[in-house]
Amino acid sequence: MKVMVCTDGSELSKKAIETAVGVALPLNAELIGMTAVKGAEPKDGLAGEARDVQERLGVIYDAAKAAGLPCRVLAVHGEAPWQCITKLAKDEDVDYVVMASRGMGSIGSLFIGSETQKTLASIDRPVLVVR
């Protein structure tokens, strides 16, 4: 069993991480944490975005570790966050996706309301939206 949680570093996505841990624990599931990074993966790594991406994924990893859950974290590159989310959910064959209803709403953020809506419209598995 796999539960995937998405983050953009916003306060609401931190609440989604707590919720995902709560969902994964009784299911004895692996937690897969992800954040979307706009654009193709650079050949020399994340460069200037590395610290921000590591911080976002570190919050997921630390929450899973504290709960005793197995966890993997991934930065997924793509054109739009909703595409990254649906692709990773399919590639990893996750059972559930947990995400915030909206995110930072600034340039470079993972979620805005429309990203959540696009994810819900395109994904083929259950999604728990945290408000």
Side-chain angles (χ1 to χ4, degrees), residues 84-102:
C84 297
I85 294 164
T86 53
K87 181 177 183 336
L88 185 62
K90 183 177 180 179
D91 290 350
E92 290 288 335
D93 194 26
V94 301
D95 298 286
Y96 301 99
V97 175
V98 180
M99 64 187 297
S101 59
R102 58 183 162 66

Side-chain angles (χ1 to χ4, degrees), residues 8-74:
D8 68 350
S10 68
E11 287 303 312
L12 194 53
S13 67
K14 290 177 184 172
K15 188 175 174 183
I17 294 166
E18 293 173 18
T19 302
V21 168
V23 168
L25 267 174
L27 297 173
N28 207 20
E30 175 186 16
L31 190 65
I32 298 174
M34 71 84 63
T35 192
V37 180
K38 187 164 174 72
E41 187 168 357
K43 293 179 182 176
D44 59 349
L46 293 172
E49 298 175 323
R51 182 170 291 149
D52 182 46
V53 169
Q54 287 177 339
E55 283 180 21
R56 290 185 294 203
L57 295 176
V59 172
I60 298 170
Y61 184 81
D62 291 345
K65 185 176 178 181
L69 286 171
C71 179
R72 289 183 291 131
V73 293
L74 303 159

